[in-house]
Amino acid sequence: MYSQKYFFDIFGLLIILKSFISLLTKQLSPRRATKPDSDLVLDFLSRVYPISDQLKKEAYANMVTFEFPKGHVLVKEYAICQYVYFIKKGALMGCTTHKKKHIVTYISVENEFVSSISGLYGNGASKEAIIAVEDVSLVAIPVNVLQGFFLRYFELNFIFRVMLEQYYMDAQERAHIVRVGSAKERYLYFIQTKPGYMERLPLEFVASLLDMKPLTLVKIQKQYALSLKKDKEMEQLCKQIERHMTEKQAFKDKNLNLKSLSEALGLSPHKLSSILNNQYQQNFMDFVNTYRIADLKEQIAKPGFMQSYTIETLAHDAGFASRSAFYNSFKKLVGQSPSAYVKNQGY
């Protein structure tokens, strides 16, 4: 025989289960949208074109809200999509199946509309499932109501035309980069056009959207992170070199060479030469002489300096060891002789 405690345990479990089902049903069922939620959508649309008071009134009466948990299927593949959804919070994705392979066709987050285009302009079945990537809060309007609005309100037609134009331009660009771009180019396109998405969305969904395997995406992510680290390190090295040249005026040392400068910077001669060639596109002498000529130009520009000093004297003070080295370098880097430069500047 069952004990009384057993029946109480079963009874308590049934109450909890019933409460959970009631909560879930309430969560998944549409509720009348509050005015703040409706205003969120209407304000978004009004940025494209002003909305009439009558349209606002009808929109308030017909908008609903949904709360869906992560993984919930809003619309099944080849089913009818009955709503146009505005994402208040969370993320949705479109997903289709080809040869038993699930393919992510888009991912949308806050302040974006999601629906089935085929259903929006008729009763065509959606070729994509719409699935919650995260827990989502949505403001929605029934498609049949929206179609009635299109017949009565010009501004809504204009707004949706503008929005669809942008949607198709984005889709075309995305399709192009997915078809012709390398895996790295696709990744860079995604992080540049969808900043923050990579950090919050499941990696396998992003990989599917970019038409690559998850392991490939992980590899590219690591390579990109490493390149950013190297770029940051290189930026710091360049700043160190430039600071040493300007603050210590190392260029004025007539005996300055690659070895002495690299030692002062704590770098190997090979490393320093590589930086100058790749980052500044200059060899060592041209790099140093660029600073010397800049200093010379600054001296020449000072009032009365050309009356007190010869240009050869200023060049010597700037670090040039000989007149010929100065003239050759000046013409190579500036494109004219020192005397022509002084004359053209009117000094």
Side-chain angles (χ1 to χ4, degrees):
M1 295 181 65
Y2 296 111
S3 67
Q4 186 178 19
K5 181 178 183 299
Y6 174 83
F7 282 110
F8 276 120
D9 288 345
I10 292 295
F11 182 69
L13 182 61
L14 288 173
I15 291 176
I16 294 172
L17 185 59
K18 183 178 179 181
S19 298
F20 175 76
I21 293 173
S22 176
L23 177 63
L24 186 62
T25 303
K26 182 179 179 182
Q27 186 182 43
L28 300 182
S29 300
R31 301 190 304 273
R32 176 79 175 269
T34 63
K35 188 174 184 299
D37 282 344
S38 296
D39 283 338
L40 184 67
V41 178
L42 294 172
D43 289 345
F44 184 87
L45 295 175
S46 295
R47 295 173 195 169
V48 180
Y49 193 86
I51 295 177
S52 66
D53 291 339
Q54 183 59 34
L55 175 54
K56 287 182 180 180
K57 183 179 178 180
E58 288 202 53
Y60 287 136
N62 287 279
M63 284 191 185
V64 295
T65 58
F66 289 94
E67 302 285 333
F68 293 125
K70 177 181 177 181
H72 180 78
V73 180
L74 285 71
V75 180
K76 294 181 179 179
E77 200 170 349
Y78 298 110
I80 300 296
C81 181
Q82 298 178 345
Y83 293 92
V84 173
Y85 301 99
F86 179 82
I87 305 175
K88 178 183 175 183
K89 181 181 178 182
L92 297 175
M93 71 175 178
C95 186
T96 190
T97 306
H98 180 66
K99 295 182 179 179
K100 297 182 179 181
K101 179 183 178 183
H102 297 296
I103 302 169
V104 176
T105 53
Y106 66 83
I107 300 177
S108 298
V109 299
E110 291 85 2
N111 297 322
E112 293 185 349
F113 285 94
V114 172
S115 189
S116 166
I117 298 299
S118 57
L120 191 62
Y121 291 101
N123 295 315
S126 175
K127 293 179 176 59
E128 302 161 319
I130 301 177
I131 304 171
V133 182
E134 303 171 336
D135 293 346
V136 289
S137 297
L138 307 169
V139 185
I141 189 164
V143 170
N144 62 333
V145 172
L146 190 64
Q147 288 172 343
F149 287 173
F150 286 145
L151 295 175
R152 297 193 300 277
Y153 298 105
F154 161 79
E155 65 264 36
L156 197 61
N157 287 275
F158 180 80
I159 290 169
F160 266 75
R161 192 200 81 189
V162 172
M163 290 170 54
L164 284 174
E165 284 176 354
Q166 186 60 53
Y167 171 84
Y168 277 115
M169 283 191 290
D170 292 343
Q172 183 183 44
E173 186 177 1
R174 184 172 65 249
H176 175 76
I177 194 68
V178 167
R179 286 206 324 269
V180 305
S182 65
K184 182 180 179 181
E185 288 171 333
R186 280 176 262 156
Y187 172 75
L188 293 176
Y189 168 80
F190 183 76
I191 63 174
Q192 289 165 2
T193 57
K194 304 292 184 182
Y197 280 36
M198 198 70 243
E199 291 74 23
R200 66 182 280 189
L201 299 174
L203 182 139
E204 64 270 22
F205 295 155
V206 176
S208 177
L209 179 67
L210 299 178
D211 192 25
M212 65 178 75
K213 295 179 180 179
L215 287 177
T216 302
L217 179 56
V218 170
K219 181 180 178 181
I220 293 172
Q221 274 187 291
K222 290 180 179 179
Q223 290 174 342
Y224 182 67
L226 182 61
S227 70
L228 286 180
K229 182 180 178 182
K230 288 182 177 179
D231 287 346
K232 189 172 183 180
E233 291 174 351
M234 185 58 64
E235 182 182 358
Q236 291 173 341
L237 284 174
C238 289
K239 286 181 179 179
Q240 178 188 351
I241 294 170
E242 292 166 8
R243 188 163 52 247
H244 183 78
M245 294 296 288
T246 54
E247 293 179 3
K248 296 186 179 298
Q249 294 194 313
F251 59 89
K252 290 191 174 182
D253 179 2
K254 295 175 180 58
N255 297 315
L256 185 68
N257 56 41
L258 182 65
K259 186 174 184 296
S260 62
L261 181 58
S262 63
E263 288 176 351
L265 294 168
L267 301 172
S268 69
H270 175 75
K271 179 73 171 179
L272 177 58
S273 179
S274 176
I275 293 173
L276 298 182
N277 289 330
N278 295 316
Q279 301 300 315
Y280 296 93
Q281 285 76 52
Q282 290 182 313
N283 59 37
F284 171 77
M285 285 311 305
D286 285 346
F287 176 77
V288 174
N289 287 338
T290 297
Y291 279 89
R292 289 169 175 166
I293 290 172
D295 180 76
L296 174 67
K297 287 180 177 180
E298 186 178 337
Q299 301 306 316
I300 291 174
K302 291 179 180 179
F305 256 60
M306 290 307 297
Q307 284 74 40
S308 304
Y309 302 95
T310 64
I311 194 168
E312 286 79 8
T313 300
L314 295 177
H316 185 269
D317 292 343
F320 285 101
S322 68
R323 184 177 186 276
S324 60
F326 161 58
Y327 270 82
N328 290 336
S329 179
F330 195 98
K331 192 165 186 179
K332 176 182 179 182
L333 297 176
V334 180
Q336 55 185 324
S337 66
S339 56
Y341 173 81
V342 171
K343 182 179 179 180
N344 290 336
Q345 296 298 315
Y347 298 131

